[in-house]
Amino acid sequence: MDALLKIVQTINMYLSDYILIILLIGIGLLYSVKTRFVQIRCFGEGMKKVFGNISLHGGSAKGGMSSFQALATAIAAQVGTGNIVGACGAILIGGPGAIFWMWIIAFFGMATIYAEAVLAQKTRKVSADGTVSGGPVYYIMHAFPNKFGKSLATFFAVAAVLALGFMGAMVQTNSMAEACNTAFGIPQWIVGLVVAAISAFIFIGGVNRIASFTEKIVPVMACLYLLGGLILLICRIQYIPETFALIFKYAFVPNAIIGGGIGYALKTAISQGAKRGLFSNEAGMGSTPHAHALANVEDPHDQGVVAMIGVFIDTFIVLTMTALTVISTLYAGNGPLADMVNTGVPEGIAKTNMSQMAFSSVFGSGLGNGFIAICLFFFAFSTVIGWNLFGRTNMNYLFGKKSNLVYSIIALVFVFLGSILSNDLVWELTDMFNQLMVIPNAIAMFALTKLVIGKRGK
């Protein structure tokens, strides 16, 4: 296991430090320019479409979802452990400045995800029974209708099934189980069994049950977390200016807190921002297009601007709330991590418990640990549901609908195993497959620029 961990870490280092940064920023810049910065021009339009149509009981939509249900399913997948555990890991390894680079990745990622949603809408397939299917495998084949396209689509589909349906579920359950064990003393395997049982009920219900679940749980869980975070920030309001100063300062001189030379430290901060930013908002990864393809809208552009708001909510609101609460309590005001370059990381502090420590410093250990455990449970569970749907779409592409039962059973096994297996290896494997998904998705997106822009000129 140790040997496997080292191999996967080496692969991830090259992917995140070089390939991922080039592809994500490249695609984001390309579509920002080609769409004339759609993330700025059409931001207001996107907000109106999202919050003007918000509903907790959208009902079923034959063969697909409502636009809000598709967004809720996408956000359910986006807002997961990456927003709490992932963000904390980026800060711990890359310093507070890693959050700045997450913001940069997310800004360009809004243009990227706009393009992904438009492509998913324009290339989706509707079967004879009205069932809608869509996602990167379909626009990859549209871009390259030959053997190369078939190989690229198959590579993406395999990576997606492993990253989202299987390995990703393990990461989410692992974080849930550890948080519940810390806060409430519940054995991790019991959490795994409960999550697997509830997941089975939702998986069996198909697209309609998933849509009904996500449209209800996503607004509630986001508001709950933001309310708790806002209360904490009010209690630490005197440290807010210092918190933002630390983010911007360590974005450009991270060696002042994580040590090493400026080149190494800056590369670490940027790569952590890119890697954890991808795991959080998923722009460019090719996961959320599976949800946006199911939206029943008049114009693909309409779902594209809605998709942008998903990245905005995920990174600039939810993830930023995590960053501000952690940095204002653990770094600002001579917090326990304020002098990492000289003292190192104090014993007992890890990415999995940083957020709980932050809230506990203000609310007390009982309430702080419990609050984060509850929020993390809903965040992670909603991601399991969303990612399972995305993985199933690719499983169907590879083996047809007859594979649904087998896929669901295997996925449930991974959901349970995640509660009892080593956290480091699970995270590294998930990172690897997430990053591998970016490569074929990016190649197709570079090739389909004209299809995104279309006749409408948006």
Side-chain angles (χ1 to χ4, degrees):
M1 296 295 279
D2 289 340
L4 177 60
L5 178 61
K6 290 180 180 178
I7 293 172
V8 175
Q9 286 175 330
T10 301
I11 294 173
N12 283 340
M13 180 187 68
Y14 285 102
L15 287 172
S16 62
D17 290 0
Y18 305 102
I19 298 173
L20 195 64
I21 292 175
I22 294 171
L23 289 179
L24 290 179
I25 294 179
I27 295 173
L29 281 170
L30 173 68
Y31 279 105
S32 292
V33 172
K34 290 291 186 179
T35 61
R36 294 177 290 123
F37 286 88
V38 67
Q39 65 267 57
I40 298 175
R41 290 190 305 107
C42 299
F43 181 78
E45 179 185 352
M47 293 292 281
K48 288 180 181 178
K49 289 186 181 298
V50 171
F51 293 101
N53 297 311
I54 191 168
S55 170
L56 300 184
H57 46 81
S60 61
K62 185 177 180 181
M65 301 179 180
S66 69
S67 179
F68 178 74
Q69 285 177 329
L71 176 66
T73 303
I75 293 178
Q78 291 168 308
V79 179
T81 58
N83 293 79
I84 299 180
V85 181
C88 291
I91 296 170
L92 188 64
I93 298 172
I99 299 302
F100 173 84
W101 298 110
M102 280 189 178
W103 290 341
I104 298 299
I105 290 292
F107 174 76
F108 291 113
M110 290 174 71
T112 301
I113 210 162
Y114 168 85
E116 287 181 302
V118 170
L119 289 174
Q121 279 283 318
K122 288 188 174 183
T123 59
R124 70 181 195 164
K125 306 296 181 184
V126 182
S127 63
D129 63 358
T131 302
V132 179
S133 300
V137 290
Y138 295 95
Y139 58 71
I140 289 172
M141 287 299 297
H142 184 91
F144 309 105
N146 48 36
K147 289 184 178 179
F148 174 71
K150 181 71 173 179
S151 299
L152 209 59
T154 300
F155 178 85
F156 177 89
V158 171
V161 170
L162 293 173
L164 306 178
F166 300 156
M167 298 297 177
M170 293 179 73
V171 165
Q172 306 300 327
T173 314
N174 186 280
S175 297
M176 279 188 278
E178 285 196 3
C180 290
N181 180 259
T182 299
F184 310 116
I186 303 173
Q188 293 186 198
W189 67 270
I190 291 181
V191 176
L193 281 180
V194 171
V195 172
I198 302 174
S199 298
F201 172 75
I202 298 175
F203 293 169
I204 292 171
V207 172
N208 287 339
R209 189 171 293 173
I210 290 173
S212 179
F213 170 80
T214 57
E215 71 177 345
K216 294 176 177 63
I217 196 65
V218 166
V220 174
M221 73 180 191
C223 289
L224 174 66
Y225 183 65
L226 294 176
L227 178 61
L230 185 60
I231 294 173
L232 183 149
L233 293 181
I234 291 173
C235 295
R236 300 282 293 180
I237 194 167
Q238 70 269 34
Y239 297 107
I240 299 304
E242 182 184 352
T243 296
F244 279 99
L246 291 173
I247 291 174
F248 287 101
K249 173 185 177 181
Y250 292 131
F252 301 100
V253 287
N255 60 311
I257 195 168
I258 63 176
I262 181 63
Y264 166 79
L266 188 59
K267 185 183 75 170
T268 301
I270 295 174
S271 66
Q272 283 297 312
K275 180 165 65 174
R276 293 306 172 197
L278 170 68
F279 189 74
S280 175
N281 64 53
E282 302 181 25
M285 194 170 86
S287 55
T288 59
H290 298 98
H292 294 301
L294 302 179
N296 295 316
V297 293
E298 295 182 2
D299 191 318
H301 166 79
D302 295 339
Q303 195 60 26
V305 295
V306 166
M308 292 192 318
I309 305 304
V311 172
F312 178 81
I313 292 172
D314 173 88
T315 301
F316 290 102
I317 297 180
V318 180
L319 184 143
T320 298
M321 180 60 77
T322 298
L324 295 180
T325 56
V326 168
I327 296 170
S328 67
T329 55
L330 303 185
Y331 288 84
N334 293 319
L337 294 176
D339 194 27
M340 274 178 53
V341 71
N342 293 317
T343 64
V345 179
E347 187 176 351
I349 296 182
K351 65 185 179 184
T352 53
N353 67 358
M354 285 175 68
S355 193
Q356 288 176 315
M357 289 182 64
F359 276 82
S360 295
S361 68
V362 173
F363 299 141
S365 61
L367 182 58
N369 287 340
F371 177 77
I372 290 299
I374 292 171
C375 289
L376 191 57
F377 184 91
F378 283 113
F379 280 19
F381 182 68
S382 67
T383 299
V384 169
I385 301 304
W387 278 3
N388 181 268
L389 173 63
F390 304 161
R392 184 186 304 176
T393 300
N394 289 280
M395 194 75 169
N396 288 344
Y397 171 80
L398 293 170
F399 303 109
K401 293 183 179 180
K402 63 181 183 295
S403 64
N404 280 343
L405 179 60
V406 174
Y407 167 75
S408 295
I409 292 173
I410 297 174
L412 291 171
V413 171
F414 273 86
V415 167
F416 173 73
L417 288 177
S419 65
I420 57 176
L421 291 185
S422 168
N423 189 56
D424 287 340
L425 180 57
V426 170
W427 271 91
E428 291 292 340
L429 284 170
T430 304
D431 280 342
M432 184 180 74
F433 288 114
N434 281 342
Q435 292 172 126
L436 288 174
M437 286 171 59
V438 174
I439 298 174
N441 186 55
I443 292 172
M445 292 187 71
F446 278 122
L448 293 172
T449 309
K450 291 183 179 179
L451 183 62
V452 174
I453 307 304
K455 297 179 180 179
R456 186 174 180 181
K458 288 287 186 181

